[in-house]
Amino acid sequence: MPLSYKKKGAFAMSVITFPEGTYHFNDHPLFDFQLNRVVMWNHGDPAEVQARGGEITDFPSWERVLKELSAQAEAREDWAAAAGYLRMAEFFMVPDTPECHAVYDRAREIFYTHFTYLFAEQGGPIHREKVPYEGGVLPCWRVLPDGASKGTILFHGGNDSLLEEFTDALLYLAQGGYTVLAFEGPGQGAALRKSGLTFTPEWEKPVGAVLDHYGAEDVTIIGVSLGGELCMRAAAMEPRIRRVVSWSVLPSIYGALMADKPAEIRAKLEHWLDENNRDAILDLYAGLAEREPLFRWSIQHSNYAYGTSDVYEYLQKARAFTIEPVAERITQDVLLLSAREDLLVDFALYKQEIDLLKNTRSLEFAVPGRALNGQAHCNMGNTRFMLDLILNWIDRTLER
């Protein structure tokens, strides 16, 4: 389906459309999910991805196929797909290497060269700005609605999010009548790659910096994926947040990491972390990394984004990313969005989160299923349905 910002000439807010569906592109569940992400959020062509997806068996083949698809899209001047394929080619590359940075920079170059009409300098709705933060900057987009604003939405992603990936979603939220402030925080996008800012469990700090910069009050915060935990933490500490949308129910990073581990392993890890037994944890994970390249990549990416040197430091830091100590301070209207077949976040964690949220002004829980193509992580197969659900919820809470 055509996407709005691929049209040449003046930007038209009324033509935003989204692909919908769930595809089987690859037999490996994680590769398959990320290829669906290429199509649903990064403008990949489903027929092209279907034709090439089966070639991907490891990280080198992932990089090769996505780069080749990007070159083909560039040759036909499909700039949204060219940037999107390249953006996702970087995903499984070894982080913080010259090769990885070059791919990231080229994807951004394509995007910002060919979609200048989206930005305020050429009359578009997006104002691209930088928010100073701890010796670096947080990239921020301020997206304005066509008419009078009904309120302010503060939007951020999660563990591997980039602003450019959310372009359609941000424009759609603005089309719903809201001013949207979207930012890359520590550990994300250019805040990590250009300013060296790594993830902090105190997400209220970057949130506060953005709110201060714009003088924003009475905002609705939306956090996607890992952002579902980060936004809840920020809401507990930041009174300018009045409504919270957690677009992935994730009470703690560590809990999500342990959810699929056998009870014996969980008990050992908890004991070793409490005892600061680095060697035991490194020995255990060395064997896992040797057997499973995807696990090895996950630790490499986590160390880069969280500013840790090994899996022991990462797990210790991950334990601080939890809403449990501050959950009783979350008094806002809250919308939780989950998925029954979430590959990355155990669906059962919703029970823990709902039990923790005892003092919310209101609490709604939505679980779109397979019939709506909403069963995957972040309900990847039906973005428009999710955005409409969110906008309708914000509208209703504003009326209370």
Side-chain angles (χ1 to χ4, degrees), residues 59-375:
F59 301 143
S61 57
W62 171 277
E63 179 183 343
R64 174 180 56 80
V65 168
L66 270 293
K67 283 182 174 179
E68 290 173 358
L69 288 174
S70 177
Q72 291 169 14
E74 188 169 350
R76 64 175 183 267
E77 298 187 354
D78 184 349
W79 304 113
Y85 284 135
L86 208 55
R87 190 181 302 133
M88 289 302 294
E90 185 221 15
F91 187 83
F92 285 121
M93 294 177 68
V94 177
D96 201 23
T97 59
E99 296 79 10
C100 189
H101 286 301
V103 171
Y104 170 77
D105 289 341
R106 177 57 182 157
R108 294 181 87 215
E109 180 185 13
I110 293 171
F111 177 83
Y112 287 109
T113 297
H114 294 282
F115 299 107
T116 53
Y117 58 85
L118 288 176
F119 295 89
E121 292 80 0
Q122 292 196 16
I126 304 175
H127 296 250
R128 188 181 176 199
E129 294 153 336
K130 296 179 179 179
V131 175
Y133 180 81
E134 293 191 354
V137 295
L138 306 178
C140 191
W141 288 2
R142 179 167 53 97
V143 191
L144 301 181
D146 276 341
S149 177
K150 295 190 288 188
T152 300
I153 292 172
L154 181 65
F155 185 103
H156 62 81
N159 201 49
D160 47 55
S161 297
L162 307 174
L163 267 178
E164 298 82 15
E165 181 177 41
F166 293 118
T167 301
D168 294 275
L170 300 175
L171 293 169
Y172 193 81
L173 291 170
Q175 180 184 353
Y178 291 90
T179 298
V180 181
L181 306 177
F183 72 97
E184 292 174 337
Q188 300 173 336
L192 172 65
R193 291 164 178 81
K194 301 301 181 183
S195 289
L197 298 170
T198 57
F199 273 113
T200 173
E202 297 173 311
W203 200 247
E204 68 275 11
K205 291 182 177 180
V207 162
V210 174
L211 295 179
D212 288 345
H213 183 81
Y214 291 104
E217 303 277 349
D218 189 17
V219 305
T220 301
I221 192 169
I222 301 174
V224 183
S225 192
L226 168 63
E229 185 275 329
L230 299 173
C231 72
M232 297 294 284
R233 160 74 195 207
M237 312 301 289
E238 176 51 73
R240 289 173 288 184
I241 297 172
R242 303 292 179 82
R243 290 157 298 278
V244 188
V245 180
S246 177
W247 196 347
S248 190
V249 179
L250 180 64
S252 75
I253 294 180
Y254 183 80
L257 291 171
M258 294 298 112
D260 63 346
K261 304 292 188 298
E264 180 182 355
I265 295 295
R266 291 200 304 269
K268 281 184 179 179
L269 285 170
E270 195 74 20
H271 174 71
W272 289 337
L273 288 168
D274 288 341
E275 296 295 319
N276 297 316
N277 192 337
R278 179 192 296 265
D279 290 341
I281 290 175
L282 294 183
D283 286 345
L284 172 66
Y285 276 86
L288 294 174
E290 184 65 28
R291 294 193 300 272
E292 179 50 76
L294 278 168
F295 179 81
R296 184 168 61 251
W297 165 83
S298 176
I299 295 301
Q300 288 174 334
H301 173 80
S302 298
N303 284 333
Y304 176 46
Y306 288 79
T308 52
S309 62
D310 57 36
V311 67
Y312 167 79
E313 286 189 9
Y314 167 63
L315 290 175
Q316 288 286 25
K317 189 166 186 177
R319 292 209 290 179
F321 287 77
T322 174
I323 70 168
E324 185 170 1
V326 298
E328 292 188 356
R329 300 177 62 174
I330 299 172
T331 58
Q332 296 92 337
D333 294 296
V334 174
L335 173 62
L336 302 178
L337 304 174
S338 191
R340 287 188 179 274
E341 300 175 40
D342 195 318
L343 178 68
L344 304 178
V345 178
D346 190 335
F347 174 66
L349 291 172
Y350 82 87
K351 300 173 186 177
Q352 178 187 348
E353 181 138 339
I354 289 175
D355 286 344
L356 287 169
L357 297 175
K358 300 177 186 206
N359 295 324
T360 58
R361 183 169 182 261
S362 68
L363 177 61
E364 296 187 31
F365 180 41
V367 191
R370 182 171 281 273
L372 292 168
N373 292 301
Q375 75 276 13

Side-chain angles (χ1 to χ4, degrees), residues 16-21 41 172-173 247 335 337-338 365-375 378-393:
I16 299 175
T17 58
F18 295 91
E20 179 183 342
W41 285 3
Y172 193 81
L173 291 170
W247 196 347
L335 173 62
L337 304 174
S338 191
F365 180 41
V367 191
R370 182 171 281 273
L372 292 168
N373 292 301
Q375 75 276 13
C378 294
N379 317 102
M380 186 71 68
N382 201 339
T383 301
R384 176 167 182 168
F385 178 87
M386 300 306 298
L387 294 173
D388 285 340
L389 188 158
I390 291 168
L391 286 167
N392 289 336
W393 178 83

